[in-house]
Amino acid sequence: MGKITGFLEYERLAEASEAPEARKKHYREFVLHLSDEQAKQQGARCMDCGTPFCISGCPVNNIIPDWNDLVYRQEWRAAIDTLHSTNNFPEFTGRVCPAPCEEACVLRINADPVGIKSIEHAIIDRAWEAGWVAPQPAPRKTGKKVAVVGSGPAGLAAAQQLARAGHAVTVFEKNDRVGGLLRYGIPDFKMEKWLIDRRVDQMKAEGVEFRTNHVVATAAVGAGNAQARPVDPKRLIADYDAVVLAGGAELPRDLPVPGRDLDGVHFAMDFLPLQNRRVAGDQNVKDLWASGKHVVVIGGGDTGSDCVGTSNRHGAKSISQFELLAMPPDTERNPVWPYWPTRLRTSSSHEEGAKRDWSIATKRFVGEGGKVKALKAVRLDWSSGKPVEVPGSEFDMPADLVLLAMGFVSPVQSVLEAFGVEKDARNNARAGTEGKGSYKTSAPKVFAAGDMRRGQSLVVWAIREGRQCARAVDEFLMGSSELPR
Ligand SMILES: Cc1cc2nc3c(=O)[nH]c(=O)nc-3n(C[C@H](O)[C@H](O)[C@H](O)COP(=O)(O)OP(=O)(O)OC[C@H]3O[C@@H](n4cnc5c(N)ncnc54)[C@H](O)[C@@H]3O)c2cc1C
Ligand code: SF4
């Protein structure tokens, strides 16, 4: 432990960020990582608890007290080695993770938690700047071949671990670029995309082969790519010793109310990837903009918040975000510590401006000449635990663009069916996570990880699953594995 009295002496410090009015004018990241001195003080706040709840709160079980202490002592090289021992991509989580570790931090009981995410961000950015993140090619090859389907954080983590164990790994990605939702989902202002390219270069130097524009089986929805070359699942099974399915959960939840088919009512994922493409410099991107429009975002989660931030940058006339559920409590402390609490969360995109409202059910969309012009909604009363429409509370809301951001129901089924993979009750790939045969599906030599196995989740969970799945595949191929779990 760095400083015994650190948590008494120093306040939690938020990372510096550009003011909302200024950052709304561009798509770049606007959060700066802590300076060395700031990170030192934040690391000093850690109490090195006998039972470090932060570690169990973190899905990749980052060894947080150790790197807090190393940063306090300014031993940055050892800090990145410790961080990398549990997390392949801290530059992703250091930017977009909701930080369940901070909800679990012991300081959270009666004070502000250690700024774990900001320390992680500082460690990894500094490590790249110092040139400490180098390729780690396997010392010897096994002669085994593994195909990974999907290049989101789960597929990338699995591929990197498997390559480091000496296997020949090929990643098949239906999109034109690698990264999954990190690339075509999460906006650039939350995470710039050169960060993915830099990791991909590292992985290529470690021997991973990427085949973009290759769709395994057929994928009817999601950020589809008509140009993608089809890959027959039977060929993968024949040509590879193991296959990892990491195709995400791309089937969006729909809102089948009258007027759904009007022009101007879109899934969030018809909208967000277009902006990622424009920022990447792509030409001929579909002409779907929020500029000058009354935008209504339906769904109160991360995806909805990203639609708000993007619409603000487009210059929308107004932005409203509706949530079906009741407004969660705005508690300062975590009432269910060390677990993840349901409470009001205000994202950086909300800070940039949006009218948020809760307990709202959309009844229909109203159009003119085939284009959406308004939506009709009603207020709900959740006091009985069930949604009850409040009599006389119906209202109209002008809307030229409606973005449906109500989550994702499951993976695209055709992919699972093409491999003959059994599904669980929520139509995800069925595979356990404990003991022998973990991450293994019902189909011979086929494994599954990330959102495709657990359903819609988080980047940090995808990394955990990719890492654990890699170990399971390594055990399957070699009889034992030295990869960490
Ligand atoms: C808009 C949005 C914002 C989000 N923001 C956050 C956030 O801030 N923080 C956070 O932690 N989480 C966030 N999430 C959730 C997070 O992005 C996902 O949980 C995570 O990316 C899942 O990783 P994955 O690798 O399992 O799948 P994905 O990232 O979905 O990647 C799957 C990849 O597989 C490819 N693929 C699918 N089928 C095939 C096929 N048949 N052949 C070839 N390739 C295929 C897809 O094209 C895709 O590239 C967000 C999600 C969305 C939609
Ligand atoms: S729970 Fe908080 S204070 Fe305790 S070791 Fe973890 S980060 Fe440090």
Side-chain angles (χ1 to χ4, degrees), residues 45-49 52-54 64-65 68 104-107 114 116:
R45 294 188 69 234
C46 176
M47 303 183 295
D48 194 14
C49 304
F53 282 88
C54 54
I64 294 162
N68 282 341
C105 174
V106 175
L107 267 183
V114 173
I116 300 169

Side-chain angles (χ1 to χ4, degrees), residues 96-98 149-156 172-175 177-182 185-187 190 214-219 223 246-250 269 272 302-303 306 408 412 415 449-452 455-460 462:
V96 302
C97 191
V149 180
S151 68
L156 290 178
F172 293 86
E173 169 55 57
K174 70 176 155 61
N175 282 329
R177 294 184 178 95
V178 168
L181 290 172
L182 296 167
I186 296 177
K190 272 168 59 179
H214 281 70
V215 59
V216 177
T218 50
E250 297 193 301
M269 287 302 288
L272 292 172
D302 262 346
T303 307
D306 292 346
F408 299 84
V412 173
V415 183
D451 284 7
M452 193 156 236
Q456 173 197 3
S457 185
L458 294 173
V459 170
V460 67

Side-chain angles (χ1 to χ4, degrees), residues 241-420:
D241 298 295
V243 176
V244 175
L245 299 181
E250 297 193 301
L251 214 58
R253 182 167 287 113
D254 207 346
L255 186 60
V257 297
R260 166 67 183 89
D261 52 357
L262 285 167
D263 194 11
V265 182
H266 298 273
F267 287 120
M269 287 302 288
D270 294 336
F271 174 72
L272 292 172
L274 303 178
Q275 191 53 46
N276 296 130
R277 289 186 178 282
R278 289 185 198 109
V279 175
D282 288 1
Q283 306 296 314
N284 303 322
V285 178
K286 199 176 144 195
D287 212 12
L288 177 58
W289 293 87
S291 326
K293 293 182 181 161
H294 292 295
V295 178
V296 179
V297 179
I298 301 183
D302 262 346
T303 307
S305 154
D306 292 346
C307 291
V308 168
T310 303
S311 299
N312 260 320
R313 280 163 181 74
H314 283 186
K317 196 185 281 178
S318 72
I319 306 172
S320 306
Q321 187 179 16
F322 291 159
E323 168 60 49
L324 186 77
L325 299 174
M327 184 175 167
D330 187 10
T331 53
E332 204 190 332
R333 301 282 160 241
N334 179 357
V336 293
W337 179 88
Y339 301 107
W340 180 255
T342 303
R343 74 172 136 89
L344 184 66
R345 287 169 203 279
T346 299
S347 71
S348 57
S349 292
H350 294 135
E351 287 168 2
E352 293 162 5
K355 183 175 170 292
R356 301 163 80 190
D357 210 342
W358 288 262
S359 303
I360 305 279
T362 302
K363 303 290 282 182
R364 61 188 305 133
F365 301 112
V366 183
E368 235 177 65
K371 287 193 164 158
V372 70
K373 278 287 144 216
L375 62 77
K376 289 189 177 292
V378 64
R379 294 197 173 276
L380 300 174
D381 178 358
W382 283 92
S383 54
S384 65
K386 288 191 185 140
V388 178
E389 292 186 8
V390 177
S393 69
E394 294 81 6
F395 67 95
D396 290 0
M397 176 62 97
D400 313 303
L401 176 64
V402 176
L403 297 170
L404 305 177
M406 299 169 302
F408 299 84
V409 283
S410 73
V412 173
Q413 297 298 292
S414 54
V415 183
L416 302 182
E417 280 153 16
F419 281 93

